[in-house]
Amino acid sequence: MATLQAPIITPGVDYPVLPRGGACLVCRRRKQKCDATKPQCNECVSAGRGCQYEDDTYRTRTQLLQDRIAELEAQIRAAEEKKASSSSTASEYSSDTSSILLSPSPGLSIGRSSSASSRGASRTPITPTSFSAEDVFPAIVSPSSPSSIYSTPDMFFSYSKSTGPDPSPNVVTKLLDIFLLRHSQCGFELHLGRVMRAVQPGATEPLTPVLLDSMLLMGCYFARENELKRWENEFFERTKRGIEENITLAHGGGDGKYNSLHHLQAMIMFGLYYYFKGRLLEGHVHTAHATRLAVALGIHKLDSRIFRVGQRVEQTPKQPFEIWRWHPRDPVELGEAINLWWCCSSTEMAGSTLNGLPPCVSLEDDVTTVWPRLLPEFESGQPLPDDNYSVNSLLDPQTSSIVTSVSRDNVKSLIAKSYILMVWAAKLDIERVSNHQGSEEWWIRFERCDQAINQFMETMPPVQLSRNVEELAYLIMVHTVIYCSQLQLHNALAEFELAMGAQRYPNGRNPDGSLGGISYARCNQACRATVLAAAIVMDIDLSYLIMFIGIAWVCVAEVLIREIPRLKRSGFEAEAQEKEQQLNLLETCMVRLVATYPVLSLQLKQLQAIKAQQLYL
């Protein structure tokens, strides 16, 4: 091992204290003392060596690297100035438009995503007589009529200078209108009225900048005009930077200085944006980060919908990095947090299924947050059900019949419960693979899950074309997910029934001429119901659907692909032809869905390849 060499010192020589870089180059390289005598130091003269000092032309290696860095930085600044100049020239800013820009709201700056907006102690209370988001934003109720709430100049604020150019008020108007039309697909769970009031100048609690950046980013994604699409990269960078730079503030959700719910909402939408763009792994990572933030804030343990004044306990962190537990300040904020948790966890579970990766929060974790409700219920002043039903109540024999009777549930609760049941079914299927016969305890949980799914299917609201497009899209998703859960639970048992029938009877037919048993019949029912729901999709805009519905369609299509040849071999030509029609319908729906969510193109190609290999052999 190399050791440090002590400086060489000549006895009897009085060495002066030299400034940095004052020694000659030879003594410096030899790591020996130097008296800095010029033109030649005494050390070099006594040793008979040539002596050399730095001059104006000599540059050390460190200095050369610093010069190169300065040169590159100058080139970067020149490129940025050129880009900003060309963008400002191409933008159409009339004198009238530029004159209406107002000062930014206090603490709000889209351009500075790293600045934290203050979370004021006062908030405008929402009473039953206050306006709702639907009253202020008619575009949410009627997608055919574009919103005009930002058509007046005084609704705008100016952008602070950032690394890139700033959009015009007209661009912001269009992007926000698009986002309002598509907010349900973006996983937006905050109160729209509050959020949009916070955008206005003079708001008592300005909007957290990273949330606004993420809203405009989603507007860019769903936009079709090139004038709007060109801002997508800019808002992507601002959102990413805002999430990274303010994550520490977001973890301090209980100190009242930063709106952690706004930050969590931005993280959820940013993860969905990655999924929309086909970047599966990054989407999974960002949604997992959002889920971990929610867990760190304690949002997974909101076991009551009732807001109790004074329930918040003041905390004094004992360590610099201790995490504050989040507490709501009013009933609406409590409802926002509950809905955000279920949106976050459902997205993370669906993304895990798409990626084949484990979720960061499993069903065994102690999740006690109650099922979501619509936000108007929290602000109406009407009493809310004070139950503590959550994940484990779905399969609890004492509460399952109550929780899975969903005829009066809202669409958000239906989505959350159907996702959990699908995860339970998949978990049981995985356990069955490791234990082919299944233990007694496994069969007990299987029966409970089967009963819960059946109860859910019997009581869930029907899909009717008379509903508005957003509610219809949610219900189609619910029906598809719950029938896919039934398919996941019974598919392996159906294959076992068919295998046993093939051993006992000719052509695999039962004595009554049928195939399989109870599980096989359940799978047929699930496939048929999924296709019926997909048939309704043909009459609506598929961009209103949640992208994860494509996973369920592919799952059902793969079952149909395996089943059609079996039916033909057994002589069930009519049934095989019916399932071919069902398969073609699902494939058509997938093709249309890929046009909105290109991330599903890989699943579609795999489905078509399997179909070509197995169906027509």
Side-chain angles (χ1 to χ4, degrees):
M1 179 182 294
T3 58
L4 294 177
Q5 182 180 1
I8 301 174
I9 301 177
T10 303
V13 178
D14 186 16
Y15 295 97
V17 178
L18 302 178
R20 183 177 181 84
C24 73
L25 298 178
V26 178
C27 291
R28 197 183 305 175
R29 283 194 296 267
R30 294 176 61 86
K31 299 183 182 300
Q32 67 181 24
K33 288 288 186 177
C34 180
D35 58 9
T37 303
K38 295 183 179 180
Q40 291 184 329
C41 70
N42 292 325
E43 293 294 330
C44 292
V45 171
S46 60
R49 297 187 299 266
C51 186
Q52 181 183 1
Y53 285 91
E54 289 185 2
D55 54 22
D56 295 337
T57 61
Y58 179 82
R59 308 291 290 170
T60 64
R61 182 180 180 184
T62 301
Q63 291 171 332
L64 291 175
L65 290 175
Q66 291 174 345
D67 293 342
R68 180 57 177 165
I69 292 173
E71 180 183 352
L72 293 175
E73 289 177 345
Q75 293 177 3
I76 293 173
R77 285 194 298 269
E80 290 177 346
E81 292 174 359
K82 182 178 179 181
K83 178 181 177 181
S85 175
S86 60
S87 299
S88 60
T89 303
S91 302
E92 297 179 358
Y93 290 95
S94 63
S95 58
D96 294 337
T97 304
S98 59
S99 64
I100 64 175
L101 292 177
L102 304 178
S103 300
S105 301
L108 176 60
S109 170
I110 297 183
R112 293 195 304 266
S113 60
S114 60
S115 62
S117 65
S118 61
R119 192 182 186 203
S122 62
R123 178 194 284 269
T124 304
I126 294 183
T127 63
T129 58
S130 300
F131 59 85
S132 64
E134 289 77 6
D135 296 328
V136 182
F137 310 119
I140 300 175
V141 179
S142 177
S144 60
S145 59
S147 170
S148 59
I149 58 171
Y150 285 93
S151 59
T152 55
D154 58 348
M155 298 298 291
F156 289 103
F157 46 86
S158 64
Y159 286 78
S160 299
K161 288 298 179 184
S162 64
T163 57
D166 296 326
S168 67
N170 185 46
V171 169
V172 178
T173 299
K174 293 180 179 179
L175 291 178
L176 286 177
D177 281 340
I178 294 172
F179 173 78
L180 291 175
L181 290 173
R182 304 295 185 183
H183 71 282
S184 59
Q185 295 99 291
C186 301
F188 192 83
E189 298 293 344
L190 300 178
H191 191 282
L192 275 173
R194 286 186 170 184
V195 169
M196 302 312 292
R197 282 199 300 270
V199 178
Q200 303 177 25
T204 56
E205 184 181 349
L207 196 65
T208 305
V210 67
L211 175 60
L212 186 55
D213 288 336
S214 62
M215 293 165 60
L216 296 175
L217 174 63
M218 283 300 192
C220 289
Y221 174 79
F222 286 104
R224 293 294 177 262
E225 303 177 27
N226 292 332
E227 176 192 6
L228 304 178
K229 293 292 290 185
R230 73 183 186 90
W231 291 101
E232 190 169 350
N233 290 336
E234 175 66 23
F235 285 116
F236 171 82
E237 293 296 335
R238 293 182 181 185
T239 303
K240 182 179 180 181
R241 185 170 62 250
I243 290 174
E244 293 174 350
E245 295 180 355
N246 293 310
I247 188 63
T248 303
L249 294 174
H251 275 281
D255 62 357
K257 297 179 181 179
Y258 186 78
N259 197 321
S260 299
L261 293 188
H262 285 190
H263 195 96
L264 177 60
Q265 178 68 85
M267 293 179 71
I268 295 172
M269 292 196 294
F270 196 55
L272 281 173
Y273 173 80
Y274 273 113
Y275 277 122
F276 293 166
K277 300 295 286 186
R279 299 163 69 172
L280 302 182
L281 184 58
E282 291 164 299
H284 175 75
V285 169
H286 282 274
T287 52
H289 286 172
T291 305
R292 291 190 183 97
L293 173 61
V295 171
L297 296 174
I299 298 178
H300 66 308
K301 291 183 177 296
L302 300 176
D303 55 2
S304 176
R305 301 183 187 89
I306 308 303
F307 174 76
R308 295 174 175 85
V309 180
Q311 66 179 356
R312 176 173 177 170
V313 179
E314 296 296 333
Q315 305 177 70
T316 303
K318 300 179 181 180
Q319 301 176 4
F321 300 103
E322 184 173 343
I323 296 175
W324 294 81
R325 182 179 173 86
W326 179 87
H327 292 276
R329 295 176 297 171
D330 55 42
V332 174
E333 195 170 63
L334 175 60
E336 289 178 334
I338 292 173
N339 293 356
L340 273 174
W341 164 254
W342 285 112
C343 175
C344 185
S345 59
S346 299
T347 302
E348 206 258 339
M349 286 187 292
S352 298
T353 304
L354 183 62
N355 284 282
L357 298 172
C360 64
V361 176
S362 64
L363 296 178
E364 287 76 13
D365 292 330
D366 189 18
V367 176
T368 58
T369 297
V370 293
W371 301 110
R373 310 281 292 194
L374 298 178
L375 288 181
E377 298 181 42
F378 288 90
E379 64 176 326
S380 64
Q382 300 296 325
L384 289 167
D386 191 16
D387 60 71
N388 59 352
Y389 298 142
S390 187
V391 174
N392 292 327
S393 61
L394 279 174
L395 301 186
D396 189 334
Q398 298 180 353
T399 60
S400 179
S401 60
I402 300 175
V403 178
T404 55
S405 296
V406 295
S407 58
R408 297 182 179 273
D409 280 30
N410 60 81
V411 290
K412 296 184 182 298
S413 178
L414 291 171
I415 285 285
K417 291 180 180 180
S418 62
Y419 268 130
I420 295 298
L421 287 174
M422 184 176 68
V423 173
W424 276 119
K427 185 175 183 296
L428 288 169
D429 185 53
I430 294 173
E431 292 178 0
R432 181 202 56 80
V433 174
S434 59
N435 186 358
H436 181 69
Q437 297 296 329
S439 62
E440 181 178 355
E441 186 267 341
W442 183 90
W443 281 107
I444 292 175
R445 289 189 291 121
F446 174 89
E447 292 177 358
R448 290 177 181 175
C449 186
D450 189 35
Q451 292 173 359
I453 292 175
N454 289 335
Q455 177 78 3
F456 190 102
M457 290 189 300
E458 292 174 359
T459 59
M460 63 182 175
V463 177
Q464 298 174 346
L465 288 174
S466 58
R467 301 178 184 271
N468 67 68
V469 64
E470 289 189 4
E471 185 179 6
L472 182 61
Y474 268 117
L475 287 178
I476 291 174
M477 184 70 185
V478 170
H479 280 244
T480 303
V481 171
I482 196 63
Y483 284 116
C484 189
S485 303
Q486 187 181 46
L487 191 64
Q488 183 83 40
L489 189 65
H490 285 276
N491 187 43
L493 295 178
E495 293 291 335
F496 177 76
E497 291 173 351
L498 292 171
M500 295 300 296
Q503 294 179 5
R504 296 177 181 177
Y505 309 109
N507 296 327
R509 295 192 181 194
N510 297 325
D512 59 357
S514 63
L515 288 175
I518 296 177
S519 291
Y520 181 77
R522 294 280 180 85
C523 290
N524 280 336
Q525 176 193 11
C527 291
R528 186 178 299 108
T530 302
V531 174
L532 288 176
I536 300 177
V537 169
M538 303 297 291
D539 297 325
I540 67 173
D541 183 359
L542 265 66
S543 62
Y544 284 94
L545 288 175
I546 303 174
M547 61 170 289
F548 297 111
I549 195 173
I551 304 174
W553 285 347
V554 170
C555 178
V556 174
E558 290 178 350
V559 173
L560 292 175
I561 290 174
R562 293 195 304 268
E563 183 62 17
I564 292 172
R566 181 186 292 125
L567 290 173
K568 290 182 177 180
R569 289 194 300 268
S570 301
F572 293 92
E573 293 293 338
E575 290 80 356
Q577 185 176 2
E578 178 187 357
K579 292 191 179 297
E580 284 182 344
Q581 294 174 353
Q582 296 174 0
L583 178 61
N584 292 333
L585 180 61
L586 287 179
E587 185 179 0
T588 302
C589 291
M590 278 294 296
V591 171
R592 292 186 58 202
L593 192 64
V594 167
T596 302
Y597 302 114
V599 63
L600 298 173
S601 59
L602 179 60
Q603 281 72 23
L604 176 61
K605 291 179 181 178
Q606 292 176 345
L607 174 63
Q608 292 172 338
I610 296 174
K611 177 182 176 182
Q613 292 176 2
Q614 298 187 14
L615 191 56
Y616 302 111
L617 290 177

